[in-house]
Each structure stands twice: as C-alpha cells, then as structure tokens.
Amino acid sequence: MREETHLTHPAPAVIDLDGLHALIGVLRDRGYCVVGPTRRDGAIAYEEIASADELPAGWTEVQEAATYRLERREDDARFGYPVGPHSWKRWLLPSRVRLWQARRGDGGATEFVEEAPPERPFAFIGVRSCDLHAIAVQDRVFLEGAYVDRDYGARREGAFLVAVNCGVPGGTCFCASMGTGPRAESGFDLALTELVGDEHRFVVEVGSDRGAEIVSDLMGDPATPEDIDAALGVTHAAVAQMGRSVESFDLRDLLARNVEHPRFAATSERCLSCGNCTLVCPTCFCTSVDDVNVLADGGAERWRRWDSCYSQDYSHIHGGSVRPSSRARYRQWLTHKFGTWIDQFGTSGCVGCGRCITWCPVGIDVTEELAAIRVTDGEVDHANN
Amino acid sequence: MQTIDQLVAESPVFEGLAPDRLELIAGCAQNVGFEHGERLFREGDPADTFYLVRKGRVSLSTHAPARGAIVIETLDPGEIVGWSWLFPPYVWHFDARAVDDVRAVAFDGACLRGKCETDGALGYELMTRFAAVMIDRLQHTRLRLLDVYGRDSDS
Amino acid sequence: MTPVPYRVVSRAPETADTWTLLLEPLGDHIAPAPGQFNMLYAFGVGEVPISTSASPDADGALVHTIRDVGAVSHALAGSAPGTVIGVRGPYGTEWPVEQAHGRDLVIVAGGIGLAPLRPAIYHALAHRDEFASVCVLVGARTPAELLFVRELEDWRGRFDVDVDVTVDNAGEEWHGRVGVVTQLVPRAPFDPATAVAFVCGPELMMTFSARSLLARGMPKESIYISMERNMQCGLGHCGHCQLGPVLICRDGPVFRFDEMERLMEVREL
C-alpha cells in the first residue's frame, strides 16, 4: 500500500449528503477529474461525474455466476452495491494509450517523443476495499519492479482515492476469505462508510495528509462513538453476508503441484476463451503494443492496448503459440492469478471482488474451481499431458 | 599401435564378454585400411562384415534422385559400422565410404553368425550389445527427424 | 520507455536467412552483457528481442545477429547501412562466466543459438587463463546453415580451445561430422564433475543437450540455458513472457537448468 494510516491523522468526521456534494465540488475546484460510480447501460460504471447527483442513488446490483442486473433499493443509499464491470484500471491503465511518436528528421535522424501524461489528476470516488488492494497489486507490477511504467506512475501519483466501505457484498464476493475486505484499512486518502437511517450520513476516516486537507474544507462534525460503532457494524454485517469464500491457505503450492490436474481440461470445455474475466478483473494487467505508421507525415507511433492471455496469439513465437489449447490458456489464467503471481510479484493476483464469476458468460466460478482442485489434490490428467 | 586383441578387449561394444569369447571374436577379425573416398560397402550388397573404426572417419550415405548423395551419419574412431550382418536379410541399407584415410578392424560377420547359431549364449550376448548400439543410433536419428533448426519449427 | 536511435553501419550475411548488423549509437549508449538482449525496433514495423552476439566495442557499437523469421526480423535483417533503428535495453540475465572461473567451460550451441553464446566465447578466449579447459560444441542443420564459420575455423586452429562441429544433414562434399550435437558430448574433453555448461538453441535441442550432459555426470546446477517466449515490453509489465513462476525478460533469459527442468516438461505451460 502506498500510504499508511498514521496516528497523526485527524479523527474520523461525519458529513451529510450536502457534505458529499461538497466533497466532489471541492475536488473538482482543485482541478481533479472526478471519477465515480454512475448508472450506464444497465450497469454501475466508473465514469467522470460532475456532481453527487450522478451517483446511483437507490440502486443496487444483484450478482451471481453469469448474472448481473440492477435493482431498486428501498432506501436511497448512494453506495448500496458492490462492484460493477469496471475497475479503476480503466483509468490508471487505460485500454488504449499512445506511448510515443517517432519522427524521421533530416539526414535519417529519428526522434522519439514520449507521450505526456493526462493533464488533470484523478479523484476516484467509491473505491471498494477489494479495489484498493487491486490498485496496490498493480502498483507492485508497475512501480516496484526494476522498471517503472511512466504513464501508470504519473496517473497513480496524482490520484486521490476516496474509498467506500461495503455494506452490501455481492453474491460473488469473497474478499473476506482473501483478506482484502470488506473494510478499507489503508491505501486511501479518505474512506467513507455510508449510514442510511434517521440521518443519512457518512463517517469519514482520513488516511493521508491530502485527505486531511480536503476534509477540513467540508464542514463536517467529529464522529461520535455511536457513529464509529455503526460504521464498524456495516462492514461486520457485510462479512456475514459474503456470497462465497476461498480457502486461500497454500494456494501457490497447491496450484504448482497440480499443473496437470484434470479439472483444467474439464472446465475448459465450458470456457469460451472470451477473455471477459481478464477484462473485468481489476488486477489483470497484460498489454500488447501496436507499432503503426502515420501515413500523413511518414512518422510512426507505438500504442499500448489491453491484451488477454486467452487470446490465441498471446503466447505466439515463431512456429506457433505455446498455448494453443483452451485448456492451457484457462490453466494459465487461473494458476497465474492465484499461484505464480505470488512468485512473480510477491502477492496474490486475486482480491476476491467476484467480477470474473459474475461476468463469465458460462458462469465459471474460481472459488468452486479452487475447491475442486484442493479436494482432488494430486490427480493427474493422463489424457492431456 | 594396439593389437586386435587389445582393441576388442577395450571396445565398449564387447565389454563384459568372457575372455574366451573375446578371443573367439578377435580370431574372426583382421586389420583393414581404406583410402579417402573408397567405399567400405555398397547399399544392397550382402552384409557379412562389420567394422570397428580405429582411425579416420566413415560416412553412411544414400542417394536420392535430384538430391544426389545424402550423408546420414558419420562414424569416428571407436565406433562400430554395421549391424545388418546380424539380422536377415543380411544386406546393407546404406553406402559406407571412407571420408579420409581410414584404418579399421574388419570382423567376419558370416563366420560369427555361424558360431552364434550353435552357441546360443554367444548369440544372445552379441545381440544385446548390438541392440544397444542400434538404440543409441535410433535416438540420435529421432532427434534429427525433429528438425529443430528448421525455419518453421521452434528456432 | 522510448527507444534510442542507432544507425546500421554494416550488414553481413551469415547464412541464407541470417545477417549480422553492426550498429553505432546516435544518442545514448546501451551496453548488453553476454546473454542479455535488446529490443530492436524497425521503424513503423515493430520490435523484437534480439540477443547481443558480441559485446559493444569502445565506441559503443552493438552487434546483433538476426534470423529472418517474421515481419520485424525481416525488416531488421534487411536494413541497409545508414538505416536508423530503435534500441531499448539491455534486458535480462547474463551467462554467468564467473561461475566457470577455474573450471572447465563447455559451450553447446545449436543453430542460431551460437549467436547469443558468441559473447561468452569471446570472453572466455580473451580471459583464457581464468578457465581450465574450454570446449565449444556446435550443431546446425546443414553446413550452409553454420554460423560464424570463419571464426569457428579460427578457434579450431587455437591450441587452447576444443571446437567440435556437427550437422544434421550434409552432401558428400562435407567431410565433417554428420549427426546431432548431443553426439558431441560424450567425446568432449571436460570433467563433468566440475565443468560449467552454457547451452543455447531451440528449446528441444537444449533439452536433449542438457540430458546428454547429465548422462555424462554433470549436475543440473552446473548447466545454464537461454529461454525464449513472446516478448512485448522487456520490462516485466506486459505479462507475455511468463513461464509458470518466472518472467523470461526479467528472471531470464539465462536460467540454471534445474530451475527450468520441471517447467519445460509441462506441455503448453
């Protein structure tokens, strides 16, 4: 996590709906591009919003394997749903970004001009604990290795994170068993817990100096012990309602010794290799580069775009793909996410958000898959190996 | 320069044979020489001899229309040339040629075959040793079949 | 990461489909060590990882031997002197020449694999007294596909290095060995108990070569290989070059055989 909660941060405050409006207004006034949840195309998406009016008040999501729909709530909670198909990688690691332009000068000299980062820093409203962990997972990949990704670094550096604690886990959520939620512990500038009752209010915890500065503009009151208890109660209740769980102990070794397990062939019969899971997963980071000519001026550009280990030529070397079968590609994704990611980057790649289960068209459930392998640990697929 | 007896005793292909067997085999052998380019045997000829290379290099080759001569394998000092003497139809499958000046020990395969027919134990011992040589050659040939350096393969 | 411009000084044919480019820096200097690779960019076409085939000289000139197997390598290998290409690097792990100090060094090269090994051979020959015996075992498909033939002949002419060459197929005008490179291992003059081996070539060739070295009694920990997978960024950020728990661009391409053996056995990993 990039920022830690220090004891020196101000004590939690309480703001009301006007305070929430003011928070977004203050961030916009300070030049942030405010991105938050809003209803779009039958889902709750993360888009740029101009005010708190655009939040999906009174809506919730019903999620199950291969199922997602919006439903009306009985109250008008602003954050009464878990996570939709978008994750914050949409903004930190955009699906298409130009990396540089190359121009041929006189005498054959070639100049490479790096792309400038976005002008406005981002303020993310409504970052769930699982997604905070996902951001930290991607930080390790792009900022903490031998090389820093300049574009990710620039976007990440300036990003102001307003976390929101979960009261309503989705049917596919399993953050509790992955140790990534539902309570936001660190890595945020501010964390809100929404309390809908007699008074619709938000308990605001401060996680950074930047957060403290913003809160001081909001005319909130100090949170009472009852407010804080109520806020803790929200996430305790969420733990109890978690839709799924994973026995995450020893997953790396379990998967490493079961690379030839028959479950991979069996499940890959259902898998369409559509890559939905990799698109919605908040930690999946694979990209490809496209080198293109610019016909107009004889220059060239390099673009980076999202890619997926499910695509046929993802693993292509001269001679063919290393993983031509759907079985191998499904195995790659599952074993990387829960196993070899730990070898490569020191953390699990999964944050238990459940998006892959919700958005898989055939409802492949990673929690079920892992449990099945654990129960038949050591079985070998003789037909396919 | 080693005598035939010494060479036979030290050659890996005859390792572990009892001294009287080694003496028998050495008794069927004589030193021979080939000038570079000279043929040791021709594809299709009766296979009644096998060789142990002492010096120089022997090539095994065949000939294909439009492709010309193709060298299948080369054999260097210490290596055995020929096993077709042990199996029907006792006929050579390739040409063998001296790539440079070659000295070898030539063994009378027809004579040894005769002895194996009456002495089954000797037959078994020679069969297992030559089988080992063939397996070794087969594995190497299989690797060449994989054409690992080819343009369309993993290279 | 943006490429740095280099200009092609010369383009020398090695075989029918392989050329060696000598590149001079126009800006920053990049200095790959033996075993490392650079990402070479052909303007408007794309980028591929190519190992260094000779360490940079005092002026920082890069040497890369490129086989024409696709659009980008075709463009690079066909670059006439004067062409400006982009270079990023150096990336990856090196041939651990220090591991072999005081010991026998065995180099086993198959096909294009001789190119990434050449800087290690140069190093060994330039620091000859740091090693016990030095053997270079080379395999190629046919005599016409042998790389660096004149250098092989020069090295063969030295008294302090053992060079053995074989080809898979040949016509009768070839008087050298015909057979697979693994057949050179049993006869090579090194002590398997203490030697260090660097093996490079197509993955199958490396597997079989490693097995023949093991059969001679070398421990797995003394054998090093160079792996290859799809590479886009070279930085550990794009995910393509994963092989189980490792990223080839970051943890390789040079690996110790015992670390790779099990991974290489799993199909489609």
Side-chain angles (χ1 to χ4, degrees):
Chain A
M1 292 284 182
R2 281 179 70 243
E3 312 211 37
E4 288 170 18
T5 307
H6 295 293
L7 294 169
T8 53
H9 288 313
V14 168
I15 60 174
D16 57 13
L17 281 168
D18 288 339
L20 184 65
H21 276 259
L23 170 61
I24 292 173
V26 161
L27 289 167
R28 281 178 65 86
D29 289 342
R30 288 184 184 217
Y32 284 97
C33 168
V34 177
V35 180
T38 193
R39 260 194 325 138
R40 204 189 86 170
D41 296 338
I44 291 175
Y46 296 147
E47 304 283 357
E48 187 176 359
I49 56 176
S51 85
D53 290 333
E54 295 181 57
L55 297 172
W59 287 95
T60 188
E61 296 163 328
V62 174
Q63 299 195 33
E64 241 313 316
T67 306
Y68 179 100
R69 65 176 187 280
L70 293 185
E71 263 187 12
R72 273 254 172 234
R73 294 174 60 90
E74 284 173 3
D75 56 31
D76 61 350
R78 298 305 192 264
F79 300 105
Y81 50 83
V83 288
H86 284 176
S87 63
W88 303 100
K89 76 177 183 185
R90 190 160 173 261
W91 299 90
L92 296 174
L93 186 76
S95 61
R96 227 176 118 64
V97 119
R98 184 167 56 196
L99 298 178
W100 45 256
Q101 300 173 72
R103 285 190 258 277
R104 278 194 155 131
D106 302 321
T110 301
E111 200 199 345
F112 294 95
V113 178
E114 247 180 331
E115 192 76 1
E119 280 172 9
R120 289 183 299 156
F122 298 113
F124 295 156
I125 310 291
V127 186
R128 300 294 170 178
S129 179
C130 56
D131 281 345
L132 280 176
H133 282 261
I135 291 171
V137 166
Q138 291 205 334
D139 286 351
R140 279 185 101 111
V141 176
F142 293 114
L143 304 178
E144 295 169 35
Y147 299 98
V148 169
D149 186 286
R150 196 175 148 274
D151 184 72
Y152 181 92
R155 289 163 186 266
R156 180 71 178 96
E157 177 72 25
F160 186 93
L161 304 187
V162 179
V164 169
N165 281 309
C166 275
V168 181
T172 55
C173 289
F174 57 102
C175 65
S177 63
M178 293 302 291
T180 53
R183 179 145 204 92
E185 307 271 319
S186 63
F188 51 81
D189 294 291
L190 296 173
L192 309 178
T193 308
E194 186 170 26
L195 301 172
V196 187
D198 298 332
E199 290 169 38
H200 194 159
R201 63 203 191 284
F202 303 86
V203 174
V204 183
E205 291 162 76
V206 175
S208 72
D209 294 336
R210 280 198 301 188
E213 215 215 316
I214 297 284
V215 147
S216 65
D217 277 359
L218 291 186
M219 321 279 264
D221 294 319
T224 65
E226 291 74 33
D227 290 327
I228 293 172
D229 271 348
L232 286 172
V234 163
T235 45
H236 280 151
V239 172
Q241 292 168 54
M242 209 54 63
R244 282 163 161 77
S245 71
V246 162
E247 203 186 308
S248 54
F249 162 72
D250 190 36
L251 269 177
R252 180 185 70 172
D253 292 342
L254 174 75
L255 291 171
R257 64 176 180 262
N258 281 289
V259 274
E260 286 155 0
H261 198 279
R263 186 80 184 189
F264 296 116
T267 303
S268 71
E269 305 254 305
R270 298 157 55 202
C271 172
L272 305 175
S273 295
C274 68
N276 263 14
C277 49
T278 58
L279 285 174
V280 298
C281 174
T283 63
C284 271
F285 63 85
C286 286
T287 56
S288 275
V289 288
D290 292 323
D291 285 300
V292 295
N293 281 295
V294 178
L295 296 175
D297 62 2
E301 296 180 346
R302 170 166 298 164
W303 287 75
R304 186 190 70 201
R305 59 173 165 82
W306 287 356
D307 198 350
S308 169
C309 54
Y310 280 99
S311 64
Q312 257 292 350
D313 56 5
Y314 177 83
S315 60
H316 185 86
I317 50 178
H318 37 258
S321 286
V322 172
R323 298 178 204 117
S325 73
S326 141
R327 176 191 74 97
R329 285 175 273 142
Y330 166 67
R331 173 179 67 186
Q332 163 62 24
W333 180 71
L334 192 73
T335 57
H336 184 218
K337 191 62 59 186
F338 289 95
T340 55
W341 198 297
I342 299 170
D343 294 299
Q344 294 169 15
F345 300 108
T347 68
S348 175
C350 178
V351 297
C353 71
R355 287 177 174 97
C356 55
I357 305 171
T358 298
W359 294 99
C360 174
V362 299
I364 291 171
D365 180 340
V366 290
T367 66
E368 206 177 280
E369 295 305 301
L370 294 172
I373 291 173
R374 206 182 264 290
V375 156
T376 53
D377 186 354
E379 268 191 31
V380 175
D381 182 348
H382 292 289
N384 286 298
N385 285 296
Chain B
M1 162 131 152
Q2 288 178 301
T3 62
I4 291 180
D5 291 308
Q6 283 170 321
L7 258 179
V8 166
E10 287 167 14
S11 172
V13 76
F14 298 123
E15 192 183 317
L17 283 173
D20 61 326
R21 297 269 199 259
L22 290 173
E23 209 182 302
L24 181 100
I25 290 167
C28 296
Q30 58 174 328
N31 281 315
V32 292
F34 300 92
E35 282 179 12
H36 99 258
E38 203 180 329
R39 227 202 303 255
L40 279 74
F41 50 78
R42 198 197 162 93
E43 188 175 333
D45 281 353
D48 290 328
T49 317
F50 65 95
Y51 302 87
L52 174 60
V53 182
R54 296 177 82 129
K55 179 179 166 310
R57 178 169 288 155
V58 174
S59 72
L60 294 178
S61 60
T62 186
H63 192 277
R67 273 182 77 182
I70 307 154
V71 175
I72 306 297
E73 187 145 24
T74 55
L75 301 159
D76 282 356
E79 296 187 280
I80 288 282
V81 183
W83 58 71
S84 300
W85 63 277
L86 200 43
F87 301 99
Y90 312 122
V91 153
W92 293 118
H93 301 290
F94 295 109
D95 286 359
R97 225 181 255 284
V99 177
D100 44 19
D101 286 344
V102 167
R103 296 268 175 279
V105 178
F107 295 84
D108 185 343
C111 174
L112 275 173
R113 262 198 325 259
K115 299 212 161 36
C116 291
E117 264 149 40
T118 51
D119 182 350
L122 171 67
Y124 174 76
E125 300 216 53
L126 285 178
M127 197 61 85
T128 46
R129 281 164 177 71
F130 276 82
V133 171
M134 290 188 287
I135 287 165
D136 193 51
R137 301 279 163 84
L138 176 63
Q139 299 294 53
H140 293 137
T141 307
R142 283 170 164 171
L143 295 188
R144 304 227 306 278
L145 270 181
L146 291 170
D147 194 24
V148 291
Y149 305 128
R151 233 196 98 123
D152 294 326
S153 63
D154 171 21
S155 168
Chain C
M1 276 229 154
T2 54
V4 162
Y6 272 71
R7 177 156 53 218
V8 177
V9 173
S10 66
R11 171 185 177 251
E14 303 287 354
T15 68
D17 64 0
T18 306
W19 284 263
T20 295
L21 298 183
L22 179 69
L23 304 166
E24 64 178 353
L26 297 177
D28 291 342
H29 288 215
I30 289 172
Q36 290 194 306
F37 64 96
N38 288 327
M39 297 295 287
L40 300 186
Y41 171 67
F43 198 92
V45 183
E47 222 185 24
V48 283
I50 306 281
S51 296
T52 175
S53 60
S55 294
D57 62 14
D59 300 318
L62 291 176
V63 182
H64 285 284
T65 301
I66 302 165
R67 191 177 184 201
D68 177 353
V69 292
V72 182
S73 57
H74 178 78
L76 289 170
S79 301
T83 308
V84 175
I85 68 168
V87 180
R88 292 193 294 121
Y91 301 122
T93 51
E94 308 169 22
W95 293 115
V97 287
E98 330 68 45
Q99 293 291 327
H101 282 178
R103 299 155 76 170
D104 292 345
L105 177 62
V106 184
I107 305 269
V108 185
I112 190 74
L114 181 55
L117 281 168
R118 191 172 66 167
I121 298 171
Y122 283 161
H123 174 93
L125 298 180
H127 301 89
R128 185 61 189 86
D129 50 353
E130 283 172 16
F131 304 90
S133 77
V134 175
C135 299
V136 179
L137 310 179
V138 178
R141 196 151 172 257
T142 65
E145 290 167 69
L146 276 169
L147 283 183
F148 314 137
V149 175
R150 284 233 303 275
E151 280 180 298
L152 286 172
E153 289 170 351
D154 286 346
W155 298 336
R156 247 194 111 105
R158 291 172 64 132
F159 302 119
D160 58 357
V161 63
D162 235 87
V163 177
D164 215 349
V165 174
T166 186
V167 293
D168 286 1
N169 297 293
E172 283 191 327
E173 70 291 340
W174 169 258
H175 290 194
R177 273 191 214 281
V178 175
V180 280
V181 68
T182 52
Q183 290 175 275
L184 302 178
V185 171
R187 302 171 160 268
F190 65 88
D191 173 12
T194 57
V196 170
F198 298 163
V199 182
C200 188
E203 199 166 317
L204 265 180
M205 170 260 165
M206 290 195 296
T207 305
F208 289 121
S209 301
R211 285 196 201 147
S212 67
L213 291 165
L214 293 174
R216 234 189 105 169
M218 276 194 77
K220 292 177 192 178
E221 299 79 10
S222 299
I223 301 171
Y224 293 85
I225 58 176
S226 182
M227 296 293 290
E228 189 187 345
R229 283 293 184 272
N230 183 304
M231 248 182 228
Q232 307 255 335
C233 72
L235 309 170
H237 292 164
C238 75
H240 283 257
C241 68
Q242 292 175 64
L243 173 55
V246 300
L247 298 174
I248 306 282
C249 71
R250 179 190 73 178
D251 308 314
V254 176
F255 288 97
R256 235 172 51 191
F257 184 65
D258 60 305
E259 293 165 346
M260 278 291 119
E261 192 187 11
R262 172 78 173 106
L263 299 176
M264 288 163 84
E265 282 169 9
V266 181
R267 287 163 205 200
E268 294 189 68
L269 190 62

